[in-house]
Amino acid sequence: MSVENDVISGRTWEAFCDALKQAGQQVLRPEAPTDALTRAEGWRYLTRLLRIGLEMHLEFADPEAPGFFAPSHETGKIGADNPDNLYLMGRLDGRYDYRISGSRGSVAYLSFGTQKGGYETDGRMVQTGFLDGAKLELDEQGRFELVLSCQPQIGNWLPMEPTTNAVIVRQTFIDRRAETAAQLRIERIGRDRPPAPLTPERLAAGLERAAKFVGGTASIFADWAQSYLAHANQLPPADQALCQRAGGDPNIFYYHSYWQLADDEALVFHLPRISDCRFWNLQIDNWWMESLDYRYHRICHNQHSARRNADGSVDLVLAHRDPGHANWLETAGHDRGTMCLRWVGAKEHVHPQTRVVKFANLQQELAR
C-alpha cells in the first residue's frame, strides 16, 4: 500500500490513534499515584504532549520554512518546565544555514542551543551548539542577527552539525512585570520560494513522529519521577549528564526530587546562603513533572520574590495552606509531586537542606 492510499483510506489516522492509545500505559504505570487528581492530570498531560508534538512535527516541522513555537508554556509542560521561562523552538536541518534576528529585550537570561535527536527517536536532545545571550553583539538599539551554521561565521554564530534538527531558546525572567522579552524571528538563509503544499508523506511522517513524541516524552519523565521516590522530601543534585542529554542548558545546575505531605505537614527548604549566580529558583511540580499552575498559585520563588533571612540564608515553605510565611509555596490541591531547584551561572552550588515538620510547629521550627 502506498502512503497516499493510506492517507486517503484513513489507515494513517488509525495508526496514529493506535499509537496514542499505547502511550496511555505511561499513566497506568504501577508506581504512579492512583488518586483521582493525579490520574486526571496524567490523561490531560498526554493531550498537552500531543498539542506540543503536533506543533513540533506537523505545523512547524518544515526546516526549509522554520518558525518559532513554544515547546512548554502555561498549558503545555515538559520535564519540570521553568515557570520563569519563555521557551521557543524551531526545527532545523544541518544541511542549511539559518538566521535568527530581532531585539535583545531586557530579560535577565537568554540562551540559544542547537540540538540533535529527540524524545520521539532516541530519547535524547543532545546539544550541538550553544551561545549565551550575554555574548551577543548588539547594535545601539539592542538589535542583533545570529547565524546558525555548520561552518564558523564572523560575528554572532551558533554552531550546528550535519545532524542538527532543532534550536531551543530560553528566556528567563527574574521579574516578568519589569522585564521585556526578546522579539525573535528565524529564517533559512537563501530560501527563495514559499513552502511546498502538504503531501501525504509529510502528513504521515508528522503524525507518526507526534505520536512517538507523546509516548517517548511520557516514558522518559515517568522514569525520572520513579527514580525520585528513593529520596522523598529531600532535594539532592540531579544527574547533570542525564539532564544535559535531555536538552538541559549547560549553564544550569539542576536538583530534582519527589515530595509527599500529609495535611498537617509542611516541607521546609533551607538555603544556607545564596550563591553568586545569574538566576536561581525553586518550583513545585506534579507527578508528571509539570509545574503546578503558576497562573493562579505561587508554586515558584526566585531571587526576586524570595525574602532572605537576616543572615542571608533563605527558607522556603511548601504547605497545603498559608503558613503566614513570605516564601510560601502552594501545593495547589496536591498531596504529592516532584520538584526542581536550579542554579544558573553559579560560582558554587549551595545544596538545599530539607525537613518535614508539623504545620502546627512550623513557626517554632523556622525560628531555630
Side-chain angles (χ1 to χ4, degrees):
M1 290 291 181
S2 69
V3 174
E4 182 173 332
N5 286 337
D6 286 344
V7 168
I8 291 172
S9 69
R11 283 187 290 270
T12 296
W13 181 258
E14 291 172 356
F16 170 65
C17 293
D18 288 342
L20 287 179
K21 183 178 180 181
Q22 186 62 32
Q25 294 303 308
Q26 298 303 320
V27 177
L28 301 174
R29 288 169 57 138
E31 77 279 2
T34 58
D35 62 282
L37 174 59
T38 303
R39 188 57 57 85
E41 287 186 333
W43 301 125
R44 183 184 64 180
Y45 173 52
L46 297 184
T47 71
R48 291 174 163 185
L49 293 180
L50 177 57
R51 283 191 283 125
I52 296 168
L54 290 172
E55 294 271 89
M56 185 182 298
H57 295 294
L58 193 60
E59 301 294 352
F60 290 88
D62 186 355
E64 295 201 31
F68 280 127
F69 64 95
S72 285
H73 48 81
E74 290 91 340
T75 61
K77 308 182 178 194
I78 298 176
D81 58 293
N82 186 347
D84 291 317
N85 268 12
L86 173 61
Y87 295 93
L88 295 173
M89 185 177 194
R91 304 301 294 181
L92 307 177
D93 185 324
R95 297 175 298 173
Y96 306 130
D97 296 345
Y98 298 88
R99 180 185 296 111
I100 295 175
S101 57
S103 59
R104 167 65 177 80
S106 62
V107 66
Y109 178 75
L110 173 67
S111 71
F112 304 84
T114 57
Q115 298 177 331
K116 62 183 178 181
Y119 298 159
E120 72 282 354
T121 53
D122 60 4
R124 300 184 176 191
M125 293 173 62
V126 178
Q127 196 162 94
T128 60
F130 180 77
L131 179 66
D132 189 322
K135 297 181 179 179
L136 278 174
E137 297 177 9
L138 308 172
D139 69 13
E140 294 179 354
Q141 286 74 45
R143 297 172 302 194
F144 69 93
E145 291 189 349
L146 168 62
V147 174
L148 293 66
S149 64
C150 292
Q151 297 301 317
Q153 305 290 322
I154 297 174
N156 295 321
W157 174 53
L158 179 58
M160 295 171 55
E161 295 178 359
T163 53
T164 294
N165 60 16
V167 58
I168 297 287
V169 183
R170 283 179 173 85
Q171 300 190 56
T172 305
F173 297 81
I174 293 176
D175 181 3
R176 284 185 185 267
R177 294 172 296 182
E179 297 167 68
T180 302
Q183 301 299 309
L184 306 173
R185 64 183 299 267
I186 185 170
E187 60 186 324
R188 179 192 157 197
I189 296 174
R191 182 173 68 90
D192 57 2
R193 61 184 184 276
L198 181 66
T199 64
E201 288 78 14
R202 282 173 51 201
L203 174 72
L207 290 178
E208 180 182 14
R209 289 175 185 145
K212 288 182 177 179
F213 173 82
V214 174
T217 306
S219 176
I220 290 166
F221 294 109
D223 288 346
W224 284 28
Q226 181 183 22
S227 72
Y228 305 152
L229 291 170
H231 40 75
N233 293 327
Q234 303 171 50
L235 194 49
D239 181 336
Q240 303 304 307
L242 179 64
C243 293
Q244 293 303 313
R245 288 196 299 270
D249 184 313
N251 282 334
I252 302 178
F253 190 89
Y254 298 91
Y255 301 73
H256 289 289
S257 195
Y258 170 78
W259 65 272
Q260 183 171 359
L261 294 175
D263 185 63
D264 64 343
E265 292 179 328
L267 178 59
V268 177
F269 304 86
H270 179 68
L271 293 170
R273 62 189 178 282
I274 298 301
S275 171
D276 182 4
C277 66
R278 297 165 67 180
F279 175 86
W280 71 267
N281 73 356
L282 172 65
Q283 69 183 71
I284 306 303
D285 308 319
N286 65 13
W287 171 260
W288 313 108
M289 296 191 68
E290 300 178 294
S291 63
L292 299 186
D293 198 340
Y294 50 84
R295 297 173 299 174
Y296 306 111
H297 300 277
R298 169 60 80 177
I299 59 87
C300 177
H301 276 292
N302 63 26
Q303 68 253 53
H304 171 74
S305 62
R307 182 179 300 175
R308 296 196 189 192
N309 299 320
D311 62 0
S313 65
V314 172
D315 290 310
L316 303 105
V317 179
L318 176 63
H320 297 297
R321 53 192 180 276
D322 188 351
H325 191 276
N327 299 335
W328 178 33
L329 292 163
E330 300 181 44
T331 59
H334 298 71
D335 64 3
R336 70 194 73 192
T338 56
M339 52 189 171
C340 174
L341 169 71
R342 51 176 66 78
W343 296 106
V344 181
K347 294 184 178 179
E348 65 170 333
H349 304 124
V350 179
H351 301 331
Q353 302 165 8
T354 63
R355 64 186 189 276
V356 175
V357 302
K358 290 297 183 181
F359 187 86
N361 301 330
L362 181 59
Q363 299 303 324
Q364 294 173 270
E365 287 288 334
L366 290 173
R368 292 194 313 177

